mmCIF file of all heavy atoms in Angstrom:
data_model
loop_
_atom_site.group_PDB
_atom_site.id
_atom_site.type_symbol
_atom_site.label_atom_id
_atom_site.label_comp_id
_atom_site.label_asym_id
_atom_site.label_seq_id
_atom_site.Cartn_x
_atom_site.Cartn_y
_atom_site.Cartn_z
ATOM 1 N N CYS A 67 20.009 -41.625 -55.682
ATOM 2 C CA CYS A 67 19.029 -40.552 -55.469
ATOM 3 C C CYS A 67 18.576 -39.948 -56.793
ATOM 4 O O CYS A 67 19.382 -39.669 -57.680
ATOM 5 C CB CYS A 67 19.641 -39.481 -54.580
ATOM 6 S SG CYS A 67 18.551 -38.091 -54.251
ATOM 7 N N SER A 204 11.071 -37.535 -31.526
ATOM 8 C CA SER A 204 10.418 -38.187 -32.652
ATOM 9 C C SER A 204 11.435 -38.406 -33.762
ATOM 10 O O SER A 204 11.918 -37.444 -34.375
ATOM 11 C CB SER A 204 9.249 -37.332 -33.168
ATOM 12 O OG SER A 204 8.610 -37.966 -34.246
ATOM 13 N N ASP A 257 23.209 -55.166 -63.499
ATOM 14 C CA ASP A 257 23.295 -56.571 -63.102
ATOM 15 C C ASP A 257 23.537 -56.761 -61.609
ATOM 16 O O ASP A 257 23.504 -57.892 -61.109
ATOM 17 C CB ASP A 257 24.377 -57.294 -63.908
ATOM 18 C CG ASP A 257 25.760 -56.673 -63.744
ATOM 19 O OD1 ASP A 257 25.916 -55.737 -62.938
ATOM 20 O OD2 ASP A 257 26.698 -57.132 -64.444
ATOM 21 N N GLN A 310 5.953 -35.673 -49.521
ATOM 22 C CA GLN A 310 6.932 -36.313 -48.652
ATOM 23 C C GLN A 310 6.529 -37.754 -48.311
ATOM 24 O O GLN A 310 7.219 -38.430 -47.567
ATOM 25 C CB GLN A 310 7.112 -35.502 -47.363
ATOM 26 C CG GLN A 310 7.979 -34.259 -47.531
ATOM 27 C CD GLN A 310 7.236 -33.138 -48.247
ATOM 28 O OE1 GLN A 310 6.200 -32.686 -47.791
ATOM 29 N NE2 GLN A 310 7.774 -32.699 -49.372
ATOM 30 N N ASP A 314 0.633 -37.085 -41.208
ATOM 31 C CA ASP A 314 -0.498 -36.810 -40.321
ATOM 32 C C ASP A 314 -0.904 -35.339 -40.417
ATOM 33 O O ASP A 314 -1.733 -34.869 -39.653
ATOM 34 C CB ASP A 314 -0.144 -37.153 -38.875
ATOM 35 C CG ASP A 314 1.024 -36.322 -38.342
ATOM 36 O OD1 ASP A 314 1.846 -35.852 -39.163
ATOM 37 O OD2 ASP A 314 1.131 -36.148 -37.120
ATOM 38 N N HIS A 357 6.629 -22.318 -62.041
ATOM 39 C CA HIS A 357 7.048 -22.560 -63.424
ATOM 40 C C HIS A 357 6.072 -23.458 -64.178
ATOM 41 O O HIS A 357 5.880 -23.324 -65.385
ATOM 42 C CB HIS A 357 8.441 -23.193 -63.427
ATOM 43 C CG HIS A 357 8.914 -23.655 -64.768
ATOM 44 N ND1 HIS A 357 9.109 -22.779 -65.822
ATOM 45 C CD2 HIS A 357 9.224 -24.881 -65.251
ATOM 46 C CE1 HIS A 357 9.533 -23.458 -66.875
ATOM 47 N NE2 HIS A 357 9.591 -24.729 -66.569
ATOM 48 N N ASP A 395 -20.001 -41.856 -60.932
ATOM 49 C CA ASP A 395 -19.327 -42.140 -62.196
ATOM 50 C C ASP A 395 -18.178 -43.148 -62.009
ATOM 51 O O ASP A 395 -17.687 -43.712 -62.989
ATOM 52 C CB ASP A 395 -18.759 -40.856 -62.806
ATOM 53 C CG ASP A 395 -19.856 -39.960 -63.371
ATOM 54 O OD1 ASP A 395 -21.018 -40.399 -63.405
ATOM 55 O OD2 ASP A 395 -19.546 -38.816 -63.758
ATOM 56 N N ALA A 408 -9.987 -59.950 -58.881
ATOM 57 C CA ALA A 408 -10.783 -60.878 -58.075
ATOM 58 C C ALA A 408 -9.872 -61.685 -57.144
ATOM 59 O O ALA A 408 -8.851 -62.229 -57.568
ATOM 60 C CB ALA A 408 -11.571 -61.807 -58.985
ATOM 61 N N GLY A 409 -10.272 -61.745 -55.871
ATOM 62 C CA GLY A 409 -9.464 -62.435 -54.876
ATOM 63 C C GLY A 409 -8.510 -61.521 -54.147
ATOM 64 O O GLY A 409 -8.089 -61.815 -53.030
ATOM 65 N N THR A 414 -17.485 -54.264 -50.753
ATOM 66 C CA THR A 414 -18.042 -53.972 -49.427
ATOM 67 C C THR A 414 -19.396 -53.314 -49.645
ATOM 68 O O THR A 414 -19.765 -52.961 -50.770
ATOM 69 C CB THR A 414 -17.130 -53.023 -48.632
ATOM 70 O OG1 THR A 414 -17.084 -51.742 -49.309
ATOM 71 C CG2 THR A 414 -15.707 -53.574 -48.540
ATOM 72 N N GLY A 424 -3.565 -58.643 -51.271
ATOM 73 C CA GLY A 424 -3.511 -57.799 -52.458
ATOM 74 C C GLY A 424 -2.811 -56.473 -52.258
ATOM 75 O O GLY A 424 -2.647 -55.706 -53.225
ATOM 76 N N ARG A 425 -2.359 -56.178 -51.044
ATOM 77 C CA ARG A 425 -1.787 -54.850 -50.786
ATOM 78 C C ARG A 425 -0.536 -54.532 -51.599
ATOM 79 O O ARG A 425 -0.302 -53.361 -51.905
ATOM 80 C CB ARG A 425 -1.555 -54.679 -49.285
ATOM 81 C CG ARG A 425 -2.878 -54.535 -48.553
ATOM 82 C CD ARG A 425 -2.754 -54.294 -47.077
ATOM 83 N NE ARG A 425 -4.092 -54.183 -46.477
ATOM 84 C CZ ARG A 425 -4.317 -53.976 -45.187
ATOM 85 N NH1 ARG A 425 -3.288 -53.854 -44.350
ATOM 86 N NH2 ARG A 425 -5.554 -53.892 -44.732
ATOM 87 N N ARG A 434 -5.969 -47.470 -61.839
ATOM 88 C CA ARG A 434 -7.207 -47.638 -62.594
ATOM 89 C C ARG A 434 -8.110 -46.404 -62.484
ATOM 90 O O ARG A 434 -9.008 -46.214 -63.304
ATOM 91 C CB ARG A 434 -7.963 -48.894 -62.127
ATOM 92 C CG ARG A 434 -7.169 -50.204 -62.281
ATOM 93 C CD ARG A 434 -6.752 -50.423 -63.729
ATOM 94 N NE ARG A 434 -6.061 -51.689 -63.929
ATOM 95 C CZ ARG A 434 -4.742 -51.823 -64.017
ATOM 96 N NH1 ARG A 434 -3.955 -50.752 -63.939
ATOM 97 N NH2 ARG A 434 -4.199 -53.011 -64.204
ATOM 98 N N GLY A 439 -3.337 -41.520 -68.294
ATOM 99 C CA GLY A 439 -2.656 -42.428 -69.200
ATOM 100 C C GLY A 439 -1.428 -43.051 -68.595
ATOM 101 O O GLY A 439 -1.051 -42.800 -67.452
#
Side-chain angles (χ1 to χ4, degrees):
C67 179
S204 181
D257 59 5
Q310 282 75 59
D314 61 335
H357 172 63
D395 287 353
T414 65
R425 289 183 181 180
R434 300 302 183 260

